[in-house]
Each structure stands twice: as C-alpha cells, then as structure tokens.
Amino acid sequence: MKWMFVHAHYDDFEFTAGGTFELRRRAGGAERLVVICTDGASGHHFRSREETASVRLAEQQTSAQIGGYRFEPLRLPDGRIPREARWEQEPDLLPALWKAIRDFEPDYLFCPPLPGSALAGIHVDHVTIAEAVRRVAYLINVPHVYLPEYPECAGDERPRKTPVILQVADSYVEEEQEYDLLVDVEPVFDAVARMSWSHQSQIREWLPWVGRHRIEPAATLDEWKVQLRERYRFRNRKLGLDTERPTEPFVVTAWGEIPSLEQLRRDIPGLTLDLNRQARLADKLARWSEDRM
Ligand SMILES: [Zn+2]
C-alpha cells in the first residue's frame, strides 16, 4: 500500500494529516511520500528569501526523519521547485504533478480542499494545489499527455491506477467545513508535536508574527504541545465535534477511484465515525460508483 500527501507548503502535512500517516506507519505495510509544491521562500519577516527557503527545506527533512516518511519537493520539468503565489507563471504545474503521481503510483492521495463558497477566504497556494490535483486526476492514466515536457517517458505505456483522493482540512478556508472521515490521532499526538516542532522558523517566528494562527512563540516542546492541543480543540469545535481528543478530518472526493466504505475502514487506522455519518458516506460512495458504470 502506498500513501501520498501533496500540498503547498512545508508544515502543511503536520497540521492536516501527520497523525493519520503516523498511525498508518505504526499499523505497518504502507510506503508514505510527502510532496511539497513550493520553495518556501516567502513566509518570513526577517530572514531573506534564500535563507528562508533553505531553512524550511531542512525543517521538513527533520520532520521526515521523525515521521519515517519520504519527502520530496515537487520539481518542474526543468528541475526548479515552483515559487509561492506565482502559479500563473508556472504552466508546468500539471505535468510535474502528473509525473510525481505516476512515478509513485499511490493507492491514496491526500490533498488540500477546494472551498465550496466564493465568500470563503483562501490561501492562493492551497487552492492552486487543490485545483491542480483535481485537474490532473483523470490524466494520471493518460501516458502521452505530457510527453512534450517529459520525453524520457516515451514508451512507458504501462497503465497507472488512479488513487483514491481525499481532501484534508484547511484552516485558511473560513467556511463551515464538512468531513466524511474522522481519525482520532491521540495515540500519536506526541509524534505529531515533535514533527511540527521541527518547523521552528514557522511556529516560533513566522506564524506568531503573521498573527493569523493563534500561535505564540513557544519556549519548549512542552509549551508547544499545549498550543497544538488548543489548535485541535479549535478545529474540533468548528467541525461541531464534542471531543477534547486531537482529530484529523478528511473528505472523500470523486476525483479519483471511488472506494468502498469497507476499503476505507480497512486501510485507514483510527477511524471514529458515528453510524449516521457512516450511512451517509456509504450512500454517497454507492451513488458515485453507480454513476461510473
Ligand atoms: Zn500552507
């Protein structure tokens, strides 16, 4: 089994799916790859762009060591890592995602969500990556579509399975957020705290300065754990959840393969869903499967 996480920035993984990936690691048997699609140069106030980019890359590598997952920055066909907030200048984003997904051949792909309402605020990079995953999903099994960008792939017509595509939560999207799947990550909370603590230039410098994230500079890992728990609590309340335990919500899309409920329950450890929600999800998946016939 292979799990792939695709998102915009260094640190997006830890705040949205790090716990679920850690649970999967402990359950065994899954190769896990995290692909981050921007160079991380912009998000700082006193470090230069060059310094920020290299610090952020190193922080993600530290997190990857703690979490035991493979990490790769997304590379455009010319080898560059895309800049943030300059997507109109990057027509090769889709080819690059196509290549990364075909190379890894994931069973599950986790990505940011698209907001449902035009009134919702957004982070431009999150929405760009969400939209790009949606657009590229059908093309994953179209072997010749990006041969002009990747001539070395000529002759590779082996069919590629389209993965199940799940959306993670997004704290930038200020609208009511729904979920289909809920994972209780309390058993791995300490690991998530240590992975996110790797992002020192974010959680102790940039995020407190930019002031959108209810984060104060923590002096110690224990202080950070208190703030991290509060972030989970805040998200739980927004989701209408009456629990103090840290959770990660996901939404099942019809962008990729349509899974069955049994498959999701088998493959994703730590699922905690009430019967009503399970029935609603099962209905949705059955309807989508019929539409594909
Ligand atoms: Zn982000």
Side-chain angles (χ1 to χ4, degrees), residues 7-9 11-12 123 126 172:
H7 212 308
H9 306 120
D11 87 349
D12 284 326
H123 191 301
H126 289 202
Y172 287 89

PDB file of all heavy atoms in Angstrom, residues 7-9 11-12 123 126 172, ligand 1:
ATOM      1  N   HIS A   7       0.813  18.863  -1.066  1.00  0.00           N
ATOM      2  CA  HIS A   7       0.304  20.139  -0.534  1.00  0.00           C
ATOM      3  C   HIS A   7       1.283  21.246  -0.912  1.00  0.00           C
ATOM      4  O   HIS A   7       2.316  21.010  -1.535  1.00  0.00           O
ATOM      5  CB  HIS A   7       0.114  20.044   0.979  1.00  0.00           C
ATOM      6  CG  HIS A   7      -1.027  20.876   1.505  1.00  0.00           C
ATOM      7  ND1 HIS A   7      -1.167  22.212   1.215  1.00  0.00           N
ATOM      8  CD2 HIS A   7      -2.078  20.565   2.309  1.00  0.00           C
ATOM      9  CE1 HIS A   7      -2.259  22.679   1.818  1.00  0.00           C
ATOM     10  NE2 HIS A   7      -2.842  21.703   2.484  1.00  0.00           N
ATOM     11  N   ALA A   8       0.921  22.471  -0.509  1.00  0.00           N
ATOM     12  CA  ALA A   8       1.659  23.634  -0.984  1.00  0.00           C
ATOM     13  C   ALA A   8       2.952  23.892  -0.214  1.00  0.00           C
ATOM     14  O   ALA A   8       3.987  24.186  -0.820  1.00  0.00           O
ATOM     15  CB  ALA A   8       0.758  24.866  -0.910  1.00  0.00           C
ATOM     16  N   HIS A   9       2.888  23.833   1.125  1.00  0.00           N
ATOM     17  CA  HIS A   9       3.972  24.410   1.939  1.00  0.00           C
ATOM     18  C   HIS A   9       4.591  23.404   2.906  1.00  0.00           C
ATOM     19  O   HIS A   9       3.901  22.497   3.388  1.00  0.00           O
ATOM     20  CB  HIS A   9       3.432  25.578   2.774  1.00  0.00           C
ATOM     21  CG  HIS A   9       2.731  26.608   1.958  1.00  0.00           C
ATOM     22  ND1 HIS A   9       1.413  26.940   2.152  1.00  0.00           N
ATOM     23  CD2 HIS A   9       3.172  27.361   0.923  1.00  0.00           C
ATOM     24  CE1 HIS A   9       1.064  27.874   1.274  1.00  0.00           C
ATOM     25  NE2 HIS A   9       2.104  28.143   0.509  1.00  0.00           N
ATOM     26  N   ASP A  11       5.209  22.356   6.297  1.00  0.00           N
ATOM     27  CA  ASP A  11       4.423  22.329   7.555  1.00  0.00           C
ATOM     28  C   ASP A  11       2.942  21.994   7.324  1.00  0.00           C
ATOM     29  O   ASP A  11       2.234  21.700   8.284  1.00  0.00           O
ATOM     30  CB  ASP A  11       4.559  23.582   8.426  1.00  0.00           C
ATOM     31  CG  ASP A  11       3.575  24.736   8.069  1.00  0.00           C
ATOM     32  OD1 ASP A  11       2.916  24.669   7.025  1.00  0.00           O
ATOM     33  OD2 ASP A  11       3.522  25.692   8.858  1.00  0.00           O
ATOM     34  N   ASP A  12       2.448  22.037   6.081  1.00  0.00           N
ATOM     35  CA  ASP A  12       1.030  21.716   5.857  1.00  0.00           C
ATOM     36  C   ASP A  12       0.728  20.259   6.218  1.00  0.00           C
ATOM     37  O   ASP A  12      -0.373  19.943   6.679  1.00  0.00           O
ATOM     38  CB  ASP A  12       0.642  21.957   4.386  1.00  0.00           C
ATOM     39  CG  ASP A  12       0.485  23.439   4.075  1.00  0.00           C
ATOM     40  OD1 ASP A  12       0.036  24.184   4.958  1.00  0.00           O
ATOM     41  OD2 ASP A  12       0.806  23.844   2.934  1.00  0.00           O
ATOM     42  N   HIS A 123      -5.972  30.599   0.986  1.00  0.00           N
ATOM     43  CA  HIS A 123      -4.549  30.802   0.698  1.00  0.00           C
ATOM     44  C   HIS A 123      -4.354  30.392  -0.759  1.00  0.00           C
ATOM     45  O   HIS A 123      -4.686  29.259  -1.140  1.00  0.00           O
ATOM     46  CB  HIS A 123      -3.669  29.959   1.615  1.00  0.00           C
ATOM     47  CG  HIS A 123      -2.221  30.341   1.520  1.00  0.00           C
ATOM     48  ND1 HIS A 123      -1.525  30.283   0.332  1.00  0.00           N
ATOM     49  CD2 HIS A 123      -1.343  30.830   2.438  1.00  0.00           C
ATOM     50  CE1 HIS A 123      -0.282  30.690   0.526  1.00  0.00           C
ATOM     51  NE2 HIS A 123      -0.143  31.039   1.797  1.00  0.00           N
ATOM     52  N   HIS A 126      -2.795  26.984  -1.527  1.00  0.00           N
ATOM     53  CA  HIS A 126      -3.600  25.810  -1.152  1.00  0.00           C
ATOM     54  C   HIS A 126      -4.644  25.528  -2.234  1.00  0.00           C
ATOM     55  O   HIS A 126      -4.831  24.387  -2.657  1.00  0.00           O
ATOM     56  CB  HIS A 126      -4.314  26.052   0.181  1.00  0.00           C
ATOM     57  CG  HIS A 126      -3.393  26.056   1.356  1.00  0.00           C
ATOM     58  ND1 HIS A 126      -3.824  25.806   2.636  1.00  0.00           N
ATOM     59  CD2 HIS A 126      -2.057  26.281   1.451  1.00  0.00           C
ATOM     60  CE1 HIS A 126      -2.794  25.860   3.473  1.00  0.00           C
ATOM     61  NE2 HIS A 126      -1.713  26.160   2.775  1.00  0.00           N
ATOM     62  N   TYR A 172      -7.267  27.929   6.435  1.00  0.00           N
ATOM     63  CA  TYR A 172      -7.401  29.205   5.728  1.00  0.00           C
ATOM     64  C   TYR A 172      -8.800  29.396   5.147  1.00  0.00           C
ATOM     65  O   TYR A 172      -9.188  30.509   4.818  1.00  0.00           O
ATOM     66  CB  TYR A 172      -6.385  29.310   4.587  1.00  0.00           C
ATOM     67  CG  TYR A 172      -4.969  29.526   5.077  1.00  0.00           C
ATOM     68  CD1 TYR A 172      -4.161  28.452   5.371  1.00  0.00           C
ATOM     69  CD2 TYR A 172      -4.465  30.819   5.245  1.00  0.00           C
ATOM     70  CE1 TYR A 172      -2.869  28.640   5.826  1.00  0.00           C
ATOM     71  CE2 TYR A 172      -3.177  31.012   5.700  1.00  0.00           C
ATOM     72  CZ  TYR A 172      -2.382  29.918   5.992  1.00  0.00           C
ATOM     73  OH  TYR A 172      -1.105  30.096   6.442  1.00  0.00           O
TER      74      TYR A 172
HETATM   75 ZN    ZN B   1       0.151  26.020   3.610  1.00  0.00          ZN
END
